[in-house]
Amino acid sequence: MTPEKVGGDFSPFVCACFTLNYIVGTGFLALPWAFYQGGWLLSGMAMVLVCGIANLGCDYLLSAMARADHLMSQNLQKKSDDSSGLTIDTKDEGEISLLDAALRPALTVDYANEGASLLGDDCSEKLLLKERCIEVPDLCKLFLGNLGFKCYALCVSLYCYGALWSFTAVFGNAVALVAPNSSDPYAFSVLLYAIIVIPMSFLELSEQKIVQVTLSAGRIFMIVLMIFTPLIATIFCHSNAQSSCTSHFSQQTMPNGAPLVNFSGFHRMMPIMVYAAIVHFSIPSLTQEVSQKSQLGNIFAMTSVLCAFLYTYIGTIDAWYFGGDVQQSVNLNWADYHGGTGEIFSDADGQKLTWIHVAWWARMLSFFILIFPAINVVSTFPLYAFSLGNDLMGIYYGDDVCLIEKNRCITSVFRAIAAIPPLIGGLFVRDLGTITGYTGLSGLAIAFCFPALLYIRSAQKLKHMGIPYKTHYERLGSSIFAAELVLVFGLVSIIGVFVTLVLKR
């Protein structure tokens, strides 16, 4: 069958840009530090594995959403046509009320043969998402019950608040470096950030389209610069005699090196990698805006491949070049980048070293890498506040959220609740490695455990009811057995990382 264009007006390219902006927030800035902690070879292998499993989680969520849509649609059809013969047997009151959500836009499933029976174990017809937006908390309540719903609500709230907190720290640290001297430039930077991002958090995704597409190109350009400038510095030093080697970063003339494998740093490395690869909580919001629902799996897959490629390169090269001097927010290592131009100058006391007569292009490159993460998180903050606000609204109103979600005043209140606390927290804790490390712990559950659980339970439920459960988004790794392996991997990672973090402290 040829799926029709249904839903929003995002093209696959625009959706890919939004997805990239969700993923490439601030986590990639801590990756070189994480790669140094775990060793570049071990970290590179782990990065590819994490991105692969995270993409499987996207497929699992899309399948669970398509199955939930189908359940709701069949329930609505049952209400309008009792002769259909379809009965939904559920013991959970939350499932009954959720399935009765008739006020949401109806979704139908295209069948190649319109006369095919809606019953029976005919899995040849694959379910496809259409117009309805089903948030992940709704999926958890439907397929995992109230306990699963509460556990997910806790994890996603902790993760999103931690992510928003890290955005605040990145902006504050970056702008404080280039801001005029003041008593506390960091606090001033956070205040400026709040003035910019709080109003943006009240905008709908469709109102942010131009900004998000433009900044996604800037993200890729910045990562490419952060990969190639250390390589160029190394090549220039190797091409000249050691005695005449010219530094490009402050007074560093040669790569400092990084360990190959360091298992003792795994507990610091793993959460940051997971944090840098998560997009799962935002999938429902993105799918609602995309017109070609059949392309969703390919969009998320290509974005994951791109991120795995860029993340592995920036983590390996920057950890190897800066070594033990790598900053937890690696863009700060470009503060003294001069590209082999200029000369060093010290003050009267010989305490402060400054590079003078630096070429204009080197100054521009340094300024761009230092300041773009601040611009980057200006666009990313509203995306996370949007998703967290929607989740909090769903948690608070439960099944009645369908009556509330079009009320702009109420949605604005919940987005303010999502946006303001992390800005306050950012004033007190500004250490990116600490923030992303603990935030990534809840991210392990969001990226690995819940998508796998939802995939397993949704397939079991529909199969037990005797209705089609195969979806358009299933491919390599989409099986009950593979989902169980992902679930076990997620649980073991959470326990291992948590215990190690506690013991190390």
Side-chain angles (χ1 to χ4, degrees):
M1 79 184 164
T2 304
E4 298 177 358
K5 294 185 178 181
V6 182
D9 59 355
F10 280 13
S11 67
F13 173 75
V14 172
C15 180
C17 291
F18 269 80
T19 304
L20 186 68
N21 290 352
Y22 266 114
I23 299 177
V24 185
T26 58
F28 82 97
L29 295 174
L31 282 177
W33 182 80
F35 270 60
Y36 182 80
Q37 298 299 313
W40 64 265
L41 180 61
L42 176 63
S43 300
M45 295 170 61
M47 189 76 257
V48 174
L49 178 65
V50 165
C51 287
I53 297 178
N55 182 61
L56 273 180
C58 294
D59 291 341
Y60 292 163
L61 281 180
L62 290 173
S63 291
M65 290 170 62
R67 290 163 182 162
D69 266 332
H70 190 48
L71 270 179
M72 293 180 185
S73 298
Q74 298 312 307
N75 188 61
L76 293 176
Q77 182 172 345
K78 170 182 172 291
K79 281 177 169 289
S80 61
D81 185 6
D82 291 334
S83 64
S84 65
L86 176 65
T87 59
I88 297 179
D89 181 18
T90 177
K91 297 180 181 179
D92 187 86
E93 293 180 359
E95 293 181 11
I96 295 174
S97 55
L98 187 61
L99 290 171
D100 285 342
L103 294 178
R104 295 194 179 190
L107 167 71
T108 59
V109 179
D110 289 330
Y111 289 98
N113 183 2
E114 295 182 357
S117 173
L118 293 175
L119 298 176
D121 193 15
D122 179 13
C123 299
S124 60
E125 305 300 339
K126 295 184 177 181
L127 308 180
L128 182 68
L129 277 167
K130 288 294 182 70
E131 293 183 359
R132 182 182 284 120
C133 176
I134 306 176
E135 299 291 346
V136 181
D138 291 341
L139 292 174
C140 290
K141 182 174 288 188
L142 176 60
F143 295 121
L144 305 180
N146 286 326
L147 178 61
F149 167 76
K150 292 176 181 177
C151 289
Y152 178 81
L154 175 63
C155 289
V156 77
S157 297
L158 290 174
Y159 174 80
C160 287
Y161 274 122
L164 293 168
W165 195 328
S166 72
F167 300 157
T168 305
V170 166
F171 185 93
N173 287 324
V175 175
L177 282 176
V178 298
N181 293 331
S182 63
S183 58
D184 191 355
Y186 178 84
F188 170 80
S189 301
V190 171
L191 178 61
L192 174 64
Y193 188 54
I195 293 173
I196 297 172
V197 299
I198 289 179
M200 289 181 65
S201 299
F202 300 143
L203 299 177
E204 299 297 329
L205 290 185
S206 58
E207 297 170 324
Q208 305 177 38
K209 186 189 302 185
I210 296 177
V211 173
Q212 299 298 338
V213 171
T214 302
L215 291 178
S216 65
R219 285 174 170 87
I220 296 176
F221 180 61
M222 176 184 172
I223 293 175
V224 170
L225 287 177
M226 295 173 76
I227 291 172
F228 280 98
T229 47
L231 287 178
I232 292 172
T234 304
I235 293 172
F236 268 88
C237 279
H238 277 292
S239 63
N240 297 320
Q242 183 67 30
S243 59
S244 62
C245 184
T246 303
S247 64
H248 283 227
F249 291 84
S250 187
Q251 294 178 287
Q252 179 180 341
T253 57
M254 295 294 291
N256 291 331
L260 195 68
V261 174
N262 180 21
F263 289 104
S264 63
F266 184 83
H267 68 286
R268 291 186 290 269
M269 171 197 74
M270 189 64 176
I272 293 175
M273 288 186 173
V274 174
Y275 173 79
I278 288 181
V279 69
H280 304 75
F281 64 91
S282 64
I283 285 179
S285 300
L286 288 171
T287 58
Q288 189 178 28
E289 300 292 340
V290 177
S291 57
Q292 300 177 25
K293 299 293 193 291
S294 61
Q295 297 299 315
L296 287 168
N298 294 330
I299 293 170
F300 294 131
M302 293 303 297
T303 308
S304 295
V305 170
L306 178 61
C307 287
F309 178 80
L310 294 176
Y311 282 176
T312 302
Y313 270 92
I314 191 174
T316 301
I317 292 173
D318 288 0
W320 163 74
Y321 186 82
F322 296 113
D325 294 332
V326 65
Q327 299 284 335
Q328 291 192 7
S329 183
V330 71
N331 66 307
L332 301 181
N333 283 99
W334 271 259
D336 291 322
Y337 177 80
H338 51 89
T341 65
E343 56 189 81
I344 198 165
F345 173 80
S346 60
D347 60 10
D349 298 328
Q351 299 294 322
K352 185 177 180 180
L353 301 178
T354 307
W355 283 88
I356 60 175
H357 304 142
V358 176
W360 65 269
W361 60 265
R363 288 188 180 278
M364 287 188 62
L365 192 151
S366 173
F367 180 79
F368 174 77
I369 292 179
L370 283 174
I371 205 65
F372 185 80
I375 302 172
N376 179 21
V377 295
V378 166
S379 69
T380 308
F381 191 102
L383 296 179
Y384 276 68
F386 177 90
S387 295
L388 177 58
N390 286 355
D391 284 340
L392 293 176
M393 190 165 58
I395 292 167
Y396 183 81
Y397 286 104
D399 300 326
D400 294 330
V401 70
C402 57
L403 303 173
I404 305 298
E405 58 189 2
K406 298 301 181 183
N407 187 314
R408 192 67 179 259
C409 180
I410 294 178
T411 56
S412 296
V413 169
F414 277 91
R415 289 173 192 172
I417 293 173
I420 294 175
L423 293 167
I424 298 174
L427 288 171
F428 300 98
V429 179
R430 61 186 74 176
D431 187 342
L432 183 62
T434 300
I435 297 170
T436 55
Y438 283 97
T439 302
L441 197 59
S442 58
L444 285 166
I446 296 172
F448 299 156
C449 297
F450 282 102
L453 273 173
L454 289 169
Y455 180 84
I456 294 169
R457 290 290 296 125
S458 62
Q460 290 174 341
K461 186 175 185 65
L462 269 68
K463 188 174 182 180
H464 176 73
M465 294 170 62
I467 59 178
Y469 64 93
K470 293 290 186 180
T471 74
H472 187 79
Y473 310 104
E474 293 179 286
R475 45 190 166 184
L476 182 64
S478 297
S479 67
I480 298 295
F481 177 72
E484 289 172 345
L485 290 179
V486 172
L487 175 60
V488 171
F489 175 80
L491 291 173
V492 171
S493 298
I494 291 172
I495 295 171
V497 170
F498 177 78
V499 170
T500 308
L501 281 172
V502 172
L503 291 178
K504 290 291 183 181
R505 290 188 66 84

